[in-house]
Amino acid sequence: MMASNILITGASGKTGGYAAKTLLEHGHHVRALVRRTDKRSDRLATVGAEIVVADLLDLDAVSKAARGIDAVYLTYPIAPGLIEASAILLQAAEENNVSAIVNMSQISARRDAVSAAARQHWIAERLLDHFSGGVTHIRPTFFAEWLVNFFDVETGELRLPFADGRHAPIAAEDQGRVIAALLADPQQHAGKIYPLYGAVEMNHHQIAEAMTHVLGRTVSYVPISLDEFHADLEKRGLDPHFMQHLIAVAVDYRNGIFAGVNNNVEDLTGRAPLTVEAFTERNKHYLDGTTDWYNR
């Protein structure tokens, strides 16, 4: 089945926004589900997306958004409500004879995960596996965007509790292209789980070196303790559910859960994923403080 009418949840977010734009470029009709209209949804509307404002925890609104849809991308923030949102999306898809769901999970999703969010992602996967249509789960390692989130522009430091652990940072842009490819022709991917990695597995000292080369200033990785990390997160005013997840996956990271590489991005999209250097170049204006990352 070649999908043509596609519903993107979280369309104002990183992966959903890139997926929507890619699908629109390839001639698909995209219905973009957003929590509120803002400049991000306005940009999607400008390039041809149909904007629908709805809450993923509102069954009637989600079912209405799913009318006439062939395939759906499901993503949910690291926040309470994931399992309920997955059940609602599943019910809405069944009511409207949707043929396929592509689900954003995470590399740390497993039954015995210490992170409540990671454990809930595993349960949500098993719930969605009951869908009468085709379901595909993607499990990315840490997003490259975390390098911007946790980079201190003033000091040039990455203060993170990852010790000497390794991973291959994957950009949301690359994930968006994967999601678009899966949604455009979902039948051949039904029932599959795709771990997604960036170009090169690195530790954070190597990541800092790569960023230094591009930015022309010294970037330093400063390994910190879990307690220091927790204190930093509290200063940011993060939700307790989110903080519990980040502390737990930091331990997972040290234990190698986020490590690895594969060719899934290139095999599914025909293009290799961005390197850390290429990602840094594309996001220089955030990393040098020229543009506010949180007001983009």
Short mmCIF file of all heavy atoms in Angstrom, two decimals, residues 180-239:
data_model
loop_
_atom_site.label_atom_id
_atom_site.label_comp_id
_atom_site.label_asym_id
_atom_site.label_seq_id
_atom_site.Cartn_x
_atom_site.Cartn_y
_atom_site.Cartn_z
N ALA A 180 9.26 9.50 7.10
CA ALA A 180 8.56 9.77 5.84
C ALA A 180 8.63 8.56 4.91
O ALA A 180 7.62 8.21 4.27
CB ALA A 180 9.17 11.00 5.15
N ALA A 181 9.79 7.92 4.83
CA ALA A 181 9.93 6.75 3.97
C ALA A 181 9.04 5.61 4.44
O ALA A 181 8.42 4.90 3.63
CB ALA A 181 11.39 6.31 3.93
N LEU A 182 8.96 5.41 5.75
CA LEU A 182 8.13 4.34 6.30
C LEU A 182 6.64 4.62 6.06
O LEU A 182 5.86 3.70 5.75
CB LEU A 182 8.39 4.17 7.79
CG LEU A 182 9.81 3.77 8.20
CD1 LEU A 182 9.94 3.74 9.72
CD2 LEU A 182 10.19 2.42 7.62
N LEU A 183 6.24 5.87 6.21
CA LEU A 183 4.83 6.24 6.03
C LEU A 183 4.41 6.21 4.57
O LEU A 183 3.26 5.91 4.26
CB LEU A 183 4.58 7.63 6.60
CG LEU A 183 4.63 7.76 8.12
CD1 LEU A 183 4.70 9.23 8.53
CD2 LEU A 183 3.41 7.09 8.76
N ALA A 184 5.33 6.53 3.69
CA ALA A 184 4.99 6.57 2.26
C ALA A 184 4.72 5.18 1.70
O ALA A 184 3.92 5.03 0.77
CB ALA A 184 6.12 7.25 1.49
N ASP A 185 5.38 4.17 2.23
CA ASP A 185 5.21 2.80 1.74
C ASP A 185 5.28 1.86 2.94
O ASP A 185 6.24 1.10 3.09
CB ASP A 185 6.29 2.48 0.72
CG ASP A 185 6.03 1.17 -0.02
OD1 ASP A 185 4.91 0.63 0.12
OD2 ASP A 185 6.95 0.68 -0.70
N PRO A 186 4.27 1.91 3.81
CA PRO A 186 4.37 1.22 5.10
C PRO A 186 4.25 -0.30 5.06
O PRO A 186 4.72 -0.98 5.97
CB PRO A 186 3.23 1.83 5.90
CG PRO A 186 2.22 2.25 4.88
CD PRO A 186 3.03 2.69 3.69
N GLN A 187 3.65 -0.85 4.02
CA GLN A 187 3.35 -2.28 4.02
C GLN A 187 4.61 -3.13 4.16
O GLN A 187 4.64 -4.11 4.92
CB GLN A 187 2.59 -2.66 2.75
CG GLN A 187 2.04 -4.08 2.78
CD GLN A 187 1.08 -4.32 1.62
OE1 GLN A 187 1.15 -3.66 0.60
NE2 GLN A 187 0.17 -5.26 1.79
N GLN A 188 5.67 -2.76 3.46
CA GLN A 188 6.87 -3.59 3.50
C GLN A 188 7.61 -3.49 4.83
O GLN A 188 8.50 -4.29 5.11
CB GLN A 188 7.81 -3.20 2.37
CG GLN A 188 8.36 -1.79 2.44
CD GLN A 188 9.39 -1.51 1.37
OE1 GLN A 188 10.34 -2.27 1.20
NE2 GLN A 188 9.19 -0.43 0.62
N HIS A 189 7.22 -2.52 5.68
CA HIS A 189 7.90 -2.34 6.96
C HIS A 189 7.03 -2.79 8.14
O HIS A 189 7.45 -2.68 9.29
CB HIS A 189 8.28 -0.88 7.15
CG HIS A 189 9.08 -0.33 6.01
ND1 HIS A 189 10.38 -0.72 5.76
CD2 HIS A 189 8.75 0.56 5.03
CE1 HIS A 189 10.83 -0.09 4.69
NE2 HIS A 189 9.87 0.69 4.23
N ALA A 190 5.84 -3.28 7.86
CA ALA A 190 4.91 -3.68 8.92
C ALA A 190 5.52 -4.78 9.78
O ALA A 190 6.14 -5.73 9.28
CB ALA A 190 3.60 -4.16 8.31
N GLY A 191 5.36 -4.63 11.10
CA GLY A 191 5.85 -5.64 12.03
C GLY A 191 7.33 -5.52 12.36
O GLY A 191 7.86 -6.34 13.12
N LYS A 192 8.01 -4.51 11.84
CA LYS A 192 9.45 -4.38 12.05
C LYS A 192 9.77 -3.33 13.11
O LYS A 192 9.02 -2.40 13.35
CB LYS A 192 10.15 -4.04 10.74
CG LYS A 192 10.03 -5.16 9.69
CD LYS A 192 10.78 -4.80 8.42
CE LYS A 192 10.66 -5.93 7.39
NZ LYS A 192 11.37 -5.62 6.13
N ILE A 193 10.93 -3.53 13.73
CA ILE A 193 11.49 -2.57 14.68
C ILE A 193 12.82 -2.12 14.11
O ILE A 193 13.69 -2.94 13.81
CB ILE A 193 11.68 -3.19 16.07
CG1 ILE A 193 10.34 -3.60 16.68
CG2 ILE A 193 12.41 -2.21 16.99
CD1 ILE A 193 10.46 -4.33 18.01
N TYR A 194 12.99 -0.81 13.96
CA TYR A 194 14.22 -0.27 13.38
C TYR A 194 14.98 0.56 14.42
O TYR A 194 14.58 1.68 14.73
CB TYR A 194 13.90 0.63 12.19
CG TYR A 194 13.43 -0.11 10.95
CD1 TYR A 194 12.11 -0.01 10.52
CD2 TYR A 194 14.31 -0.89 10.19
CE1 TYR A 194 11.67 -0.68 9.38
CE2 TYR A 194 13.89 -1.55 9.05
CZ TYR A 194 12.57 -1.44 8.66
OH TYR A 194 12.15 -2.09 7.53
N PRO A 195 16.09 0.04 14.93
CA PRO A 195 16.98 0.90 15.72
C PRO A 195 17.62 1.91 14.78
O PRO A 195 18.01 1.56 13.66
CB PRO A 195 18.02 -0.07 16.29
CG PRO A 195 17.44 -1.44 16.10
CD PRO A 195 16.57 -1.35 14.88
N LEU A 196 17.74 3.15 15.22
CA LEU A 196 18.28 4.20 14.37
C LEU A 196 19.50 4.85 15.05
O LEU A 196 19.43 5.24 16.22
CB LEU A 196 17.24 5.29 14.10
CG LEU A 196 15.96 4.84 13.38
CD1 LEU A 196 15.02 6.03 13.20
CD2 LEU A 196 16.28 4.20 12.03
N TYR A 197 20.58 4.95 14.28
CA TYR A 197 21.82 5.54 14.78
C TYR A 197 22.33 6.58 13.79
O TYR A 197 22.00 6.55 12.61
CB TYR A 197 22.90 4.47 14.96
CG TYR A 197 22.52 3.34 15.88
CD1 TYR A 197 22.01 2.14 15.38
CD2 TYR A 197 22.69 3.47 17.25
CE1 TYR A 197 21.67 1.10 16.23
CE2 TYR A 197 22.36 2.42 18.11
CZ TYR A 197 21.85 1.24 17.59
OH TYR A 197 21.51 0.21 18.43
N GLY A 198 23.18 7.45 14.29
CA GLY A 198 23.86 8.41 13.44
C GLY A 198 25.02 7.77 12.71
O GLY A 198 25.13 6.55 12.60
N ALA A 199 25.94 8.62 12.23
CA ALA A 199 26.98 8.15 11.31
C ALA A 199 28.12 7.41 12.00
O ALA A 199 28.59 6.39 11.49
CB ALA A 199 27.55 9.35 10.53
N VAL A 200 28.56 7.92 13.14
CA VAL A 200 29.77 7.38 13.77
C VAL A 200 29.56 7.29 15.28
O VAL A 200 29.10 8.25 15.91
CB VAL A 200 31.00 8.29 13.50
CG1 VAL A 200 32.26 7.72 14.16
CG2 VAL A 200 31.22 8.47 12.00
N GLU A 201 29.91 6.13 15.86
CA GLU A 201 29.84 5.97 17.31
C GLU A 201 31.04 6.69 17.95
O GLU A 201 32.18 6.49 17.54
CB GLU A 201 29.87 4.49 17.67
CG GLU A 201 29.70 4.23 19.15
CD GLU A 201 29.88 2.76 19.50
OE1 GLU A 201 31.04 2.36 19.74
OE2 GLU A 201 28.88 2.03 19.49
N MET A 202 30.78 7.52 18.93
CA MET A 202 31.81 8.35 19.57
C MET A 202 31.55 8.45 21.07
O MET A 202 30.41 8.29 21.51
CB MET A 202 31.80 9.77 18.97
CG MET A 202 31.74 9.83 17.47
SD MET A 202 31.31 11.48 16.82
CE MET A 202 32.89 12.30 16.93
N ASN A 203 32.61 8.73 21.83
CA ASN A 203 32.38 9.15 23.21
C ASN A 203 32.28 10.68 23.21
O ASN A 203 32.48 11.33 22.18
CB ASN A 203 33.46 8.64 24.16
CG ASN A 203 34.85 9.18 23.85
OD1 ASN A 203 35.01 10.33 23.44
ND2 ASN A 203 35.86 8.35 24.05
N HIS A 204 31.97 11.26 24.36
CA HIS A 204 31.71 12.70 24.36
C HIS A 204 32.98 13.54 24.25
O HIS A 204 32.90 14.71 23.85
CB HIS A 204 30.87 13.08 25.58
CG HIS A 204 29.41 12.91 25.35
ND1 HIS A 204 28.80 11.68 25.29
CD2 HIS A 204 28.42 13.82 25.11
CE1 HIS A 204 27.50 11.83 25.05
NE2 HIS A 204 27.25 13.12 24.93
N HIS A 205 34.12 12.97 24.58
CA HIS A 205 35.36 13.69 24.32
C HIS A 205 35.56 13.84 22.81
O HIS A 205 35.94 14.91 22.32
CB HIS A 205 36.55 12.95 24.93
CG HIS A 205 36.57 12.96 26.42
ND1 HIS A 205 36.77 14.12 27.16
CD2 HIS A 205 36.39 11.96 27.33
CE1 HIS A 205 36.72 13.83 28.46
NE2 HIS A 205 36.50 12.52 28.59
N GLN A 206 35.27 12.78 22.06
CA GLN A 206 35.38 12.82 20.60
C GLN A 206 34.33 13.75 19.99
O GLN A 206 34.60 14.47 19.03
CB GLN A 206 35.26 11.41 20.03
CG GLN A 206 36.41 10.51 20.41
CD GLN A 206 36.14 9.04 20.08
OE1 GLN A 206 35.02 8.55 20.25
NE2 GLN A 206 37.17 8.34 19.61
N ILE A 207 33.13 13.73 20.56
CA ILE A 207 32.07 14.63 20.10
C ILE A 207 32.51 16.08 20.30
O ILE A 207 32.35 16.93 19.41
CB ILE A 207 30.76 14.35 20.84
CG1 ILE A 207 30.17 12.99 20.39
CG2 ILE A 207 29.74 15.47 20.61
CD1 ILE A 207 28.99 12.52 21.22
N ALA A 208 33.09 16.38 21.48
CA ALA A 208 33.56 17.74 21.75
C ALA A 208 34.66 18.15 20.78
O ALA A 208 34.69 19.30 20.32
CB ALA A 208 34.07 17.83 23.20
N GLU A 209 35.54 17.22 20.43
CA GLU A 209 36.60 17.52 19.45
C GLU A 209 36.00 17.86 18.09
O GLU A 209 36.47 18.79 17.41
CB GLU A 209 37.55 16.32 19.33
CG GLU A 209 38.44 16.11 20.54
CD GLU A 209 39.27 14.84 20.42
OE1 GLU A 209 39.28 14.23 19.32
OE2 GLU A 209 39.91 14.45 21.42
N ALA A 210 35.00 17.10 17.68
CA ALA A 210 34.34 17.36 16.39
C ALA A 210 33.67 18.72 16.38
O ALA A 210 33.76 19.48 15.40
CB ALA A 210 33.33 16.26 16.10
N MET A 211 33.01 19.08 17.47
CA MET A 211 32.36 20.38 17.57
C MET A 211 33.40 21.51 17.58
O MET A 211 33.19 22.56 16.98
CB MET A 211 31.48 20.43 18.81
CG MET A 211 30.29 19.48 18.76
SD MET A 211 29.35 19.40 20.32
CE MET A 211 28.63 21.05 20.36
N THR A 212 34.51 21.27 18.27
CA THR A 212 35.59 22.26 18.31
C THR A 212 36.10 22.57 16.90
O THR A 212 36.30 23.74 16.54
CB THR A 212 36.76 21.72 19.16
OG1 THR A 212 36.34 21.61 20.52
CG2 THR A 212 37.98 22.64 19.08
N HIS A 213 36.29 21.53 16.11
CA HIS A 213 36.79 21.69 14.75
C HIS A 213 35.88 22.58 13.90
O HIS A 213 36.35 23.42 13.13
CB HIS A 213 36.94 20.32 14.09
CG HIS A 213 37.38 20.35 12.66
ND1 HIS A 213 38.65 20.70 12.28
CD2 HIS A 213 36.69 20.11 11.51
CE1 HIS A 213 38.74 20.66 10.96
NE2 HIS A 213 37.57 20.31 10.47
N VAL A 214 34.57 22.43 14.07
CA VAL A 214 33.62 23.19 13.26
C VAL A 214 33.41 24.60 13.80
O VAL A 214 33.36 25.57 13.03
CB VAL A 214 32.27 22.45 13.18
CG1 VAL A 214 31.24 23.28 12.42
CG2 VAL A 214 32.44 21.08 12.52
N LEU A 215 33.31 24.73 15.12
CA LEU A 215 32.98 26.02 15.72
C LEU A 215 34.18 26.96 15.82
O LEU A 215 34.00 28.17 15.98
CB LEU A 215 32.37 25.82 17.10
CG LEU A 215 31.02 25.10 17.16
CD1 LEU A 215 30.58 24.90 18.61
CD2 LEU A 215 29.97 25.85 16.37
N GLY A 216 35.38 26.39 15.74
CA GLY A 216 36.56 27.24 15.85
C GLY A 216 36.79 27.77 17.24
O GLY A 216 37.45 28.80 17.44
N ARG A 217 36.24 27.12 18.23
CA ARG A 217 36.47 27.44 19.65
C ARG A 217 36.53 26.13 20.40
O ARG A 217 36.01 25.10 19.94
CB ARG A 217 35.34 28.31 20.21
CG ARG A 217 33.98 27.65 20.18
CD ARG A 217 32.90 28.45 20.90
NE ARG A 217 33.15 28.54 22.32
CZ ARG A 217 32.21 28.96 23.19
NH1 ARG A 217 31.00 29.32 22.77
NH2 ARG A 217 32.48 29.03 24.47
N THR A 218 37.15 26.15 21.55
CA THR A 218 37.30 24.92 22.31
C THR A 218 35.98 24.49 22.94
O THR A 218 35.35 25.26 23.68
CB THR A 218 38.36 25.07 23.41
OG1 THR A 218 39.61 25.40 22.81
CG2 THR A 218 38.50 23.78 24.21
N VAL A 219 35.56 23.27 22.62
CA VAL A 219 34.41 22.65 23.26
C VAL A 219 34.95 21.53 24.15
O VAL A 219 35.75 20.70 23.69
CB VAL A 219 33.41 22.09 22.23
CG1 VAL A 219 32.27 21.35 22.93
CG2 VAL A 219 32.88 23.21 21.35
N SER A 220 34.53 21.51 25.39
CA SER A 220 35.04 20.52 26.34
C SER A 220 33.89 19.67 26.89
O SER A 220 32.82 20.20 27.23
CB SER A 220 35.75 21.21 27.52
OG SER A 220 36.82 22.01 27.06
N TYR A 221 34.16 18.38 26.96
CA TYR A 221 33.21 17.49 27.65
C TYR A 221 33.65 17.39 29.10
O TYR A 221 34.81 17.04 29.40
CB TYR A 221 33.21 16.11 27.00
CG TYR A 221 32.52 15.04 27.82
CD1 TYR A 221 31.26 15.26 28.38
CD2 TYR A 221 33.12 13.79 28.02
CE1 TYR A 221 30.63 14.29 29.13
CE2 TYR A 221 32.49 12.80 28.75
CZ TYR A 221 31.24 13.05 29.31
OH TYR A 221 30.62 12.08 30.05
N VAL A 222 32.74 17.71 30.01
CA VAL A 222 33.02 17.65 31.45
C VAL A 222 32.15 16.56 32.05
O VAL A 222 30.94 16.75 32.26
CB VAL A 222 32.72 19.00 32.12
CG1 VAL A 222 33.04 18.92 33.62
CG2 VAL A 222 33.50 20.12 31.46
N PRO A 223 32.72 15.37 32.31
CA PRO A 223 31.94 14.31 32.94
C PRO A 223 31.53 14.72 34.36
O PRO A 223 32.36 15.19 35.13
CB PRO A 223 32.89 13.11 32.97
CG PRO A 223 33.98 13.44 32.00
CD PRO A 223 34.10 14.94 32.03
N ILE A 224 30.26 14.58 34.67
CA ILE A 224 29.77 14.93 36.01
C ILE A 224 29.06 13.73 36.62
O ILE A 224 28.74 12.75 35.93
CB ILE A 224 28.83 16.16 35.97
CG1 ILE A 224 27.59 15.87 35.10
CG2 ILE A 224 29.57 17.39 35.47
CD1 ILE A 224 26.56 17.00 35.10
N SER A 225 28.82 13.81 37.90
CA SER A 225 28.13 12.73 38.60
C SER A 225 26.63 12.80 38.34
O SER A 225 26.10 13.82 37.89
CB SER A 225 28.39 12.82 40.10
OG SER A 225 27.73 13.96 40.64
N LEU A 226 25.96 11.72 38.67
CA LEU A 226 24.50 11.70 38.52
C LEU A 226 23.85 12.72 39.44
O LEU A 226 22.85 13.35 39.08
CB LEU A 226 23.96 10.30 38.81
CG LEU A 226 24.35 9.20 37.82
CD1 LEU A 226 23.88 7.84 38.31
CD2 LEU A 226 23.78 9.49 36.43
N ASP A 227 24.41 12.91 40.65
CA ASP A 227 23.86 13.90 41.58
C ASP A 227 24.01 15.31 41.02
O ASP A 227 23.09 16.14 41.13
CB ASP A 227 24.55 13.80 42.94
CG ASP A 227 24.13 12.56 43.72
OD1 ASP A 227 23.07 11.97 43.38
OD2 ASP A 227 24.85 12.17 44.66
N GLU A 228 25.17 15.60 40.42
CA GLU A 228 25.37 16.92 39.81
C GLU A 228 24.40 17.12 38.65
O GLU A 228 23.85 18.22 38.47
CB GLU A 228 26.80 17.05 39.30
CG GLU A 228 27.86 17.18 40.38
CD GLU A 228 29.25 17.20 39.80
OE1 GLU A 228 29.71 16.14 39.30
OE2 GLU A 228 29.89 18.27 39.82
N PHE A 229 24.20 16.09 37.87
CA PHE A 229 23.28 16.16 36.74
C PHE A 229 21.86 16.44 37.23
O PHE A 229 21.15 17.28 36.68
CB PHE A 229 23.34 14.86 35.94
CG PHE A 229 22.56 14.87 34.65
CD1 PHE A 229 22.72 15.88 33.72
CD2 PHE A 229 21.70 13.83 34.34
CE1 PHE A 229 22.02 15.88 32.52
CE2 PHE A 229 21.00 13.82 33.14
CZ PHE A 229 21.16 14.84 32.24
N HIS A 230 21.47 15.73 38.28
CA HIS A 230 20.13 15.92 38.84
C HIS A 230 19.95 17.36 39.32
O HIS A 230 18.90 17.98 39.07
CB HIS A 230 19.89 14.95 40.00
CG HIS A 230 18.49 14.96 40.52
ND1 HIS A 230 18.09 15.77 41.57
CD2 HIS A 230 17.39 14.27 40.14
CE1 HIS A 230 16.80 15.58 41.80
NE2 HIS A 230 16.34 14.68 40.95
N ALA A 231 20.98 17.90 39.95
CA ALA A 231 20.89 19.29 40.41
C ALA A 231 20.77 20.25 39.23
O ALA A 231 20.00 21.22 39.29
CB ALA A 231 22.12 19.62 41.25
N ASP A 232 21.52 19.98 38.16
CA ASP A 232 21.43 20.83 36.96
C ASP A 232 20.03 20.77 36.35
O ASP A 232 19.49 21.80 35.90
CB ASP A 232 22.46 20.39 35.92
CG ASP A 232 23.89 20.77 36.31
OD1 ASP A 232 24.06 21.55 37.27
OD2 ASP A 232 24.83 20.26 35.66
N LEU A 233 19.44 19.58 36.32
CA LEU A 233 18.10 19.43 35.76
C LEU A 233 17.06 20.16 36.60
O LEU A 233 16.13 20.76 36.07
CB LEU A 233 17.74 17.94 35.65
CG LEU A 233 18.61 17.09 34.72
CD1 LEU A 233 18.18 15.63 34.77
CD2 LEU A 233 18.56 17.61 33.28
N GLU A 234 17.23 20.10 37.93
CA GLU A 234 16.30 20.81 38.81
C GLU A 234 16.38 22.32 38.57
O GLU A 234 15.36 23.01 38.59
CB GLU A 234 16.61 20.49 40.27
CG GLU A 234 16.15 19.10 40.69
CD GLU A 234 16.27 18.88 42.19
OE1 GLU A 234 17.26 19.39 42.77
OE2 GLU A 234 15.39 18.21 42.77
N LYS A 235 17.59 22.83 38.32
CA LYS A 235 17.75 24.26 38.04
C LYS A 235 17.00 24.65 36.77
O LYS A 235 16.53 25.78 36.63
CB LYS A 235 19.22 24.61 37.90
CG LYS A 235 20.00 24.59 39.20
CD LYS A 235 21.47 24.90 38.96
CE LYS A 235 22.28 24.80 40.24
NZ LYS A 235 23.73 25.01 39.99
N ARG A 236 16.90 23.70 35.82
CA ARG A 236 16.17 23.97 34.58
C ARG A 236 14.66 23.94 34.79
O ARG A 236 13.90 24.29 33.89
CB ARG A 236 16.55 22.94 33.51
CG ARG A 236 17.96 23.10 32.96
CD ARG A 236 18.29 21.93 32.03
NE ARG A 236 19.58 22.10 31.38
CZ ARG A 236 19.76 22.20 30.07
NH1 ARG A 236 18.73 22.15 29.24
NH2 ARG A 236 20.97 22.34 29.57
N GLY A 237 14.22 23.45 35.95
CA GLY A 237 12.79 23.39 36.25
C GLY A 237 12.06 22.30 35.50
O GLY A 237 10.87 22.45 35.18
N LEU A 238 12.74 21.19 35.21
CA LEU A 238 12.13 20.12 34.43
C LEU A 238 11.13 19.32 35.25
O LEU A 238 11.23 19.21 36.48
CB LEU A 238 13.21 19.19 33.88
CG LEU A 238 14.23 19.83 32.93
CD1 LEU A 238 15.20 18.77 32.40
CD2 LEU A 238 13.53 20.53 31.78
N ASP A 239 10.18 18.72 34.54
CA ASP A 239 9.17 17.88 35.16
C ASP A 239 9.83 16.67 35.81
O ASP A 239 10.78 16.10 35.25
CB ASP A 239 8.19 17.42 34.06
CG ASP A 239 7.14 16.47 34.59
OD1 ASP A 239 6.13 16.96 35.12
OD2 ASP A 239 7.34 15.24 34.48
#
